[in-house]
C-alpha cells in the first residue's frame, strides 16, 4: 500500500548547492527569542502564542499598519490565553516590532515565516531570512501546502528550512505539522519538532513530503466537495456547516475519523466496518475517487485502528466517544437546546 514517494515537482530542482546545515546554536529547550516574519492572521496568531508561552518575540511585516493590527490581535487573544494559563513572565510587552526583517531575526533563536501563500514570494523570503538569521537557527514556514522542496531552492542554507504548518488560530489549535524538503537536514526537522513541543504545540512530524501535508489534504477534500454541492444546488452554505457541527464535527473533536469509523463497525470494529461499507467506496457519495480496497490497504487500516485503540475495547472507545460528545455539546451550549419532549404517550 505504500504509495511511491511523489516525484518532486519540476520546480523543486535545487538551484543552489546547500551548505551542510550548521548545528542549531542552542537546544530547543533553551530558546528564549523567537522571530515572526509576516504578522497577519497566522503570523499574528503565532506571535500571541509565543508571547503567551513566555518568549521574547520580534516581529516584522511590511504592511504600513502591521504593528497596530498585530498589537490589536494580541490584545484580543490575551484574555483567552490567560484562561488557558500563561507561562511565567508571559506578557504582550515582550513583543518588539522591528523596522526591518534583518533586525527581527538578527538575534532570533527560531524563526517562523508567515507571509502570503505565493511560491515565488516564499522562495525569495526564505532566501532572505536564511541570509539574515544567525547561523544554524532553524527557519520554519507556516505554508498551507507548498512542499519545502519547492520553496527552499534559492536559500544557500536550505538545510535549516522546514515546514511548520499551524492551524488557525495557532494560539488555540495545538496542531503543527512538521516536514522537511529534499535539502533539509534531518537534524533541523527533529530540532523544530522538539521546539514546537517545548512551546506547547501538538506535533506531527511527517516522514515524507506531500503537498497539503495531512490535515489540509483532509480538509481540502471536504472543502472541495462542499463547493461542488453548493455550486450544484445540492446543499446550501448553512446546510454544509450544520451537517458538520451537528454531525461528524461533534465526534471529530473527541476522536479522529479512523477510530470513529471503527466504531461504525460495532463490536466487529474496523474489519466489520470495511466488510459492511467497503462496497460504498464505489458509490457516487463524493466526487473524490476512492483507492482500491485491496488486502494490503484493508489490513493496514484494521491494524492501524487496533494500534490506535491501544488496548481499549470497542466498548471502551464507545464510552470515551460518548463522554466526549456530551462534553462538546455541553461546552457549546447545545445540551439545553435538545428536544425535551419524549415519545407521545
Ligand atoms: N489563514 C489561515 O487560516 C492559515 C494560513 N496559513 C499560512 O500562513 C501564511 C500566511 O497566511 P495568512 O496569515 O492567512 O495571510 P495574511 O494575508 O493574513 O498575512 C500575510 C502577512 O504577510 C505580510 N507580507 C506580505 N509580503 C510579505 C513579505 N514579503 N515578507 C513578510 N511578510 C509579508 C502581509 O503584510 C500580511 O500581514 C500562508 O502561507 C498561509 O498559507 C497556515 C495555516 C492557516
Ligand atoms: C484555509 N487554509 C488552507 C488556509 C487552512 C489552513 O492552512 C489550516 C487551517 O487553519 O485550517
Amino acid at each position: 500500500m505504500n504509495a511511491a514517494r511523489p516525484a518532486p515537482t519540476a520546480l523543486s530542482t535545487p538551484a543552489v548547492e546547500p551548505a551542510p546545515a550548521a548545528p542549531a546554536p542552542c537546544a530547543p529547550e533553551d530558546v528564549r527569542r523567537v522571530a515572526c516574519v509576516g504578522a497577519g492572521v497566522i503570523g499574528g496568531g503565532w506571535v500571541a502564542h509565543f508571547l503567551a508561552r513566555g518568549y521574547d518575540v520580534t516581529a516584522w511585516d511590511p504592511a504600513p499598519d502591521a504593528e497596530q493590527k498585530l498589537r490589536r490581535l494580541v490584545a484580543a487573544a490575551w484574555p483567552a490565553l490567560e484562561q488557558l494559563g500563561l507561562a511565567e513572565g508571559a506578557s504582550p510587552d515582550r513583543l518588539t516590532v522591528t523596522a526591518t526583517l534583518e533586525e527581527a531575526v538578527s538575534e532570533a533563536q527560531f524563526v517562523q515565516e508567515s507571509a502570503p501563500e505565493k511560491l515565488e514570494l516564499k522562495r525569495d523570503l526564505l532566501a532572505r531570512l536564511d541570509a539574515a538569521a544567525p547561523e544554524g537557527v532553524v527557519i520554519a514556514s507556516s505554508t498551507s501546502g507548498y512542499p519545502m522542496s519547492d520553496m527552499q531552492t534559492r536559500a544557500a542554507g536550505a538545510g535549516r528550512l522546514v515546514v511548520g504548518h499551524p492551524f488557525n488560530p495557532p494560539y488555540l489549535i495545538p496542531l503543527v505539522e512538521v516536514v522537511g524538503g529534499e535539502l533539509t537536514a534531518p537534524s533541523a526537522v527533529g530540532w523544530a519538532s522538539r521546539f514546537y513541543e517545548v512551546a506547547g504545540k501538538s506535533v506531527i512530524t511527517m516522514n515524507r513530503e506531500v503537498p497539503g501535508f495531512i490535515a489540509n489534504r483532509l480538509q481540502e477534500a471536504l472543502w472541495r466537495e462542499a463547493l461542488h454541492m453548493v455550486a450544484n444546488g445540492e446543499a446550501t452554505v448553512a446546510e454544509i456547516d450544520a451537517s458538520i457541527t451537528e454531525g461528524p464535527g461533534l465526534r471529530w473533536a473527541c476522536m479522529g475519523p479512523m477510530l470513529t469509523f471503527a466504531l461504525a463497525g460495532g463490536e466487529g470494529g474496523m474489519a466489520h466496518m470495511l466488510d459492511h461499507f467497503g462496497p460504498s467506496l464505489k458509490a457516487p457519495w463524493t466526487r473524490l475517487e476512492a483507492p482500491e480496497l485491496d488486502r494490503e490497504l484493508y489490513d493496514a487500516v484494521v491494524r492501524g485502528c487496533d494500534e490506535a485503540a491501544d488496548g481499549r475495547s470497542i466498548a471502551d472507545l464507545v464510552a470515551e466517544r460518548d463522554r466526549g460528545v456530551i462534553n462538546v455539546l455541553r461546552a457549546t451550549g447545545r445540551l439545553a437546546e435538545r428536544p425535551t419532549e419524549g415519545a407521545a404517550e
Side-chain angles (χ1 to χ4, degrees), residues 17-18 36 38 48 106 151 165 192-193 196 201 216-217 234 247 286-287 307 322 333 336:
E17 274 308 310
C36 292
S106 63
M151 296 192 291
H165 174 237
S193 294
Y196 283 126
K201 302 296 286 179
N216 264 359
R217 293 184 71 86
E234 296 159 356
T286 172
R287 290 147 175 103
E307 289 164 3
D322 293 359

Side-chain angles (χ1 to χ4, degrees), residues 41-42 117 142-145 165-170 173 177 212-213 215-216 219-220 223:
V41 169
I42 278 303
E117 191 74 352
S142 296
T143 178
S144 292
H165 174 237
F167 288 77
N168 189 33
I173 308 297
E177 295 167 313
F213 319 124
N216 264 359
Q219 280 200 125
E220 200 67 14
W223 171 236

Side-chain angles (χ1 to χ4, degrees), residues 104-295:
V105 303
S106 63
E107 297 184 358
Q109 294 163 306
F110 175 75
V111 179
Q112 184 77 32
E113 173 272 316
S114 305
E117 191 74 352
K118 295 173 184 170
L119 184 55
E120 284 303 307
L121 183 154
K122 294 260 194 213
R123 282 179 166 161
D124 289 340
L125 177 57
L126 289 172
R128 190 175 166 197
L129 288 170
D130 173 48
E135 188 181 42
V137 166
V138 170
I139 299 168
S141 173
S142 296
T143 178
S144 292
Y146 289 130
M148 182 47 77
S149 293
D150 291 351
M151 296 192 291
Q152 63 189 160
T153 53
R154 295 177 187 151
R160 60 169 161 176
L161 302 182
V162 300
V163 168
H165 174 237
F167 288 77
N168 189 33
Y171 56 81
L172 290 182
I173 308 297
L175 179 61
V176 60
E177 295 167 313
V178 181
V179 58
E182 289 174 338
L183 303 178
T184 302
S187 59
V189 173
W191 191 98
S193 294
R194 178 61 189 143
F195 169 69
Y196 283 126
E197 288 171 352
V198 170
K201 302 296 286 179
S202 177
V203 181
I204 293 178
T205 304
M206 295 179 66
N207 66 10
R208 69 173 67 182
E209 267 191 322
V210 60
F213 319 124
I214 299 174
N216 264 359
R217 293 184 71 86
L218 300 178
Q219 280 200 125
E220 200 67 14
L222 185 147
W223 171 236
R224 292 182 187 182
E225 183 62 30
L227 291 176
H228 278 299
M229 295 188 78
V230 171
N232 288 285
E234 296 159 356
T236 65
V237 166
E239 287 169 339
I240 295 284
D241 276 358
S243 80
I244 298 300
T245 58
E246 299 304 305
L250 288 168
R251 300 182 307 207
W252 289 341
C254 324
M255 190 173 277
M258 288 286 183
L259 276 186
T260 294
F261 271 14
L263 301 190
E267 282 305 318
M270 179 54 84
H272 179 61
M273 188 277 177
L274 292 175
D275 294 342
H276 184 184
F277 299 102
S280 307
L281 288 170
K282 299 295 184 193
W285 292 5
T286 172
R287 290 147 175 103
L288 185 65
E289 195 70 30
E292 198 55 43
L293 185 57
D294 59 20
R295 172 53 57 187

Side-chain angles (χ1 to χ4, degrees), residues 296-313:
E296 191 179 5
L297 176 57
Y298 182 105
D299 291 347
V301 172
V302 170
R303 186 171 56 248
C305 285
D306 290 344
E307 289 164 3
D310 193 22
R312 290 169 293 177
S313 68

